[in-house]
Structures are given as structure tokens and as C-alpha cells.
Amino acid sequence: MGQIAQYAINGLMSGAIYALIAVGIVSVYKATKVVNFAHGYLIMFGAYFYYTFAVIFPGMDWAPAWLASWQPGWMTEMREGLTMFSPMGAVLDWAANLPRIVFGLAGALVCNAILGRIIERVLMRPLMGQSVFAMIMVTVGLISILSGGAQLIWTADADFVPTIAPNTPLRFEMFGTMIFLFGADLVNMVIALLMFGGIVLWVRYTKGGIAIRATAEDQSTAYSMGISVPKVFSRAWVLASTTGAIAGAILATRNGISPSLGLFGFSVLAIVLMGGLDSYVGVFIAAMSVGVLEAMTQWKMGGDWAEIVPYVTVLVVLIWRPHGLFGQKEVERI
């Protein structure tokens, strides 16, 4: 029972990250009816922007010394006498990197938001009023552009970035078994859940969110009610890009950074299809379910089998409910 709890918790932590990634895909779809196949590569760019501002820039000659490593006197005194791998040592290591972590997150948010705005303005807005299929194919072509651009700018070499939170090991007993977790993974889960919940509340209760919902229902009616549909499209893409920046930074701290991060988006796209392209609640339930199923599959059958879990699960669900668990069924009248 204790092992089940261990892997279930691991799965829930992964599911929270899936949900944060999926919220960008759902937001763009709700506003534009476009499935963004390139969302995984927006996440990859967010990870690389975090790497640039948290690792590359602090190592430059012009960067102040405190940006690369913040070491005040009191922190040096606290390190004295600490044993190797002590929890306090992990917290102090994180604190020494705190300035560049904050600088990296801020830079990633701003740069990814600008990237999302450019994509919407240059590639998507000229296609307004055209076939949705044409807009979807633009996102497919964008995969190659972003993937190739990342390798040209940063090269394809893998690298590592500082964790967003202290990576202290946590141990506690449950059902007679010791459960082992890392503090950074728990904090990442909390960040992902808070951002997901905040976006859902924003879409539900704010004017900007209501404009997105109104545009999703009927663009012509939204225009007649004074809603600027192009601004709604832009807002949705910027929202997806900024959440993608945070998700990319989290994934980079967990898995390292490389162009292969972009492929992560395809797994999450399967989760979105499973939950329903236009349902935040459905996507959240699907993300958590797939996260737990992946963890259990990895426990019993190995990591190779866990990789196909999202695709097998979505196939089973779509056979039963073609519009997803909570997706809105579209009725075509002839």
C-alpha cells in the first residue's frame, strides 16, 4: 500500500505539470478554435529563455557577481559545520541561486510573451476569417521553425538549470512504508495548481476572460457587442506563452534542457483531447488521471511502457466519448 501511495503522489505531481501545459492549449482553442500543435515548442522556448537569463547571462563578464552567486556573510556562517546533503545545505544552495532564478523567470515570462504576441500578429491574424484548418497547419509548420530556431540559437547540447525551489529530500511514513519526495517537485506542483486555478478563475470572472468565452461562442456576435476579437486572439496566445514559460522552466529543472522538450507537447495534446478541448475541468481531471496511470505503469512495467499511456488512454476515451470527457458536443444542422 505504501508503494502505491508513493507512485500515486509522484503521478499527481506530474499531472499538475501536465495541467499547467494543457491550460495554454485550451485557452488558445477556446478563443480561436485552433488546436496549437506547436505549444510544446513554445514551452521549449520558455525553457531556453529561462536558461539564458538564469545561466548564460549571469556568467557573462558584465553581470554583477551577486547575480551569479549570492553569498552574504550570514549565509557563509550558516554553512559552517553543516554535513553533506543536509536539508539546510540544500536550502542555502537554492538561496545562493535565488537572484538568477528570479531573473531567469522574469526574462522567460517577458520573452515568451513577446514570442507569442509575434506569432499571433504575424502568422495567425492574417488568417482571420479563413479556414480553421489553414490556421492549424500554420501551427504544424511552426514546429519546424521553432525547433530549428532553438538549435541555431542555443545549439542542441543538453544542459541544466537551477531549480525553482529548494530541492530538499522529504521523508515520511505512510501505510508502514517510507515515502521519499523532493521539495522542489512539491513546490512545482503547488505553482502549477495555483496558476491553473488562477487562469480558470480569470476566464470565469474577469472581463478579459468573459471576452474569450464570448468570442469562442460566436465571433460575429462578439464583434457586434463591441469585443475586439483580434485583441482576444492576442490575449489568448500571450496567456498560452506565459504559462508555457513557467511550464518550460519547471520541465527544464526536472529533465534538463534540450530541443527534445518540444516533444512533450504531443503527450499533453493527447491529454487535452481526452479531457475535452474546451473544458478546463475535463483537462485537469485527464491530466491528473494520466499522471497517476503513467506512474503506476512505470512501477509495474517500466518507463518505456509509461510513455505510451497518454496515447492509449486518449484512444480508449475517444472511442467512448469522441468529444472528450467534458468537451462540448458540437451539433451540425443541415
Side-chain angles (χ1 to χ4, degrees), residues 5 46 55 96 121 149 155 160 164 187 196 235 243 245 287 304:
V55 177
R121 186 66 183 86
T155 76
F160 295 94
I164 296 175
V187 174
F196 185 94
R235 191 177 294 133
T243 57
D304 292 338

Side-chain angles (χ1 to χ4, degrees), residues 117-137:
R117 180 72 174 86
I118 291 173
I119 291 172
E120 187 279 327
R121 186 66 183 86
V122 175
L123 298 178
M124 308 306 295
R125 189 173 298 185
L127 294 175
M128 283 184 61
Q130 303 298 318
S131 168
V132 172
F133 178 75
M135 301 175 77
I136 292 174
M137 292 309 297

Side-chain angles (χ1 to χ4, degrees), residues 17 95 97 193 231 315 319:
I17 309 303
N97 289 323
L193 292 177
K231 286 185 178 180
L315 286 174
I319 291 172

Side-chain angles (χ1 to χ4, degrees), residues 197-222:
I199 289 169
V200 172
L201 292 174
W202 178 80
V203 171
R204 181 68 179 85
Y205 294 108
T206 67
K207 290 183 178 179
I210 293 172
I212 288 178
R213 289 160 51 204
T215 304
E217 289 293 330
D218 192 318
Q219 292 183 18
S220 300
T221 303

Side-chain angles (χ1 to χ4, degrees), residues 5 11-12 20 33 37 43 47 64 72 80 92 118 142 160 176 189 200-201 216 237 241-242 251 267 278 298 324 332:
L12 290 175
L20 178 60
K33 296 300 181 184
F37 282 88
I43 293 169
E80 295 178 0
L92 293 176
I118 291 173
L142 193 59
F160 295 94
M189 180 180 72
V200 172
L201 292 174
W237 274 90
S241 298
T242 51
L251 286 177
S267 298
D278 56 354
Q298 184 176 13
E332 294 186 5

Side-chain angles (χ1 to χ4, degrees), residues 70-204:
W70 183 52
Q71 295 284 354
W74 60 267
M75 188 180 297
T76 304
E77 293 177 2
M78 290 186 67
R79 286 184 182 278
E80 295 178 0
L82 289 178
T83 60
M84 188 177 294
F85 304 119
S86 69
M88 180 57 67
V91 172
L92 293 176
D93 288 340
W94 169 79
N97 289 323
L98 188 57
R100 63 175 178 156
I101 292 172
V102 174
F103 187 55
L105 289 175
L109 283 169
V110 172
C111 291
N112 232 40
I114 293 172
L115 176 62
R117 180 72 174 86
I118 291 173
I119 291 172
E120 187 279 327
R121 186 66 183 86
V122 175
L123 298 178
M124 308 306 295
R125 189 173 298 185
L127 294 175
M128 283 184 61
Q130 303 298 318
S131 168
V132 172
F133 178 75
M135 301 175 77
I136 292 174
M137 292 309 297
V138 168
T139 69
V140 174
L142 193 59
I143 292 174
S144 297
I145 296 173
L146 294 177
S147 178
Q151 295 186 47
L152 288 173
I153 298 170
W154 290 285
T155 76
D157 297 333
D159 215 321
F160 295 94
V161 295
T163 56
I164 296 175
N167 203 24
T168 53
L170 303 174
R171 297 180 180 86
F172 57 92
E173 187 173 335
M174 181 180 291
F175 303 113
T177 303
M178 289 301 297
I179 305 297
F180 181 85
L181 303 172
F182 284 105
D185 290 336
L186 286 176
V187 174
N188 290 340
M189 180 180 72
V190 171
I191 292 173
L193 292 177
L194 288 176
M195 289 191 66
F196 185 94
I199 289 169
V200 172
L201 292 174
W202 178 80
V203 171
R204 181 68 179 85

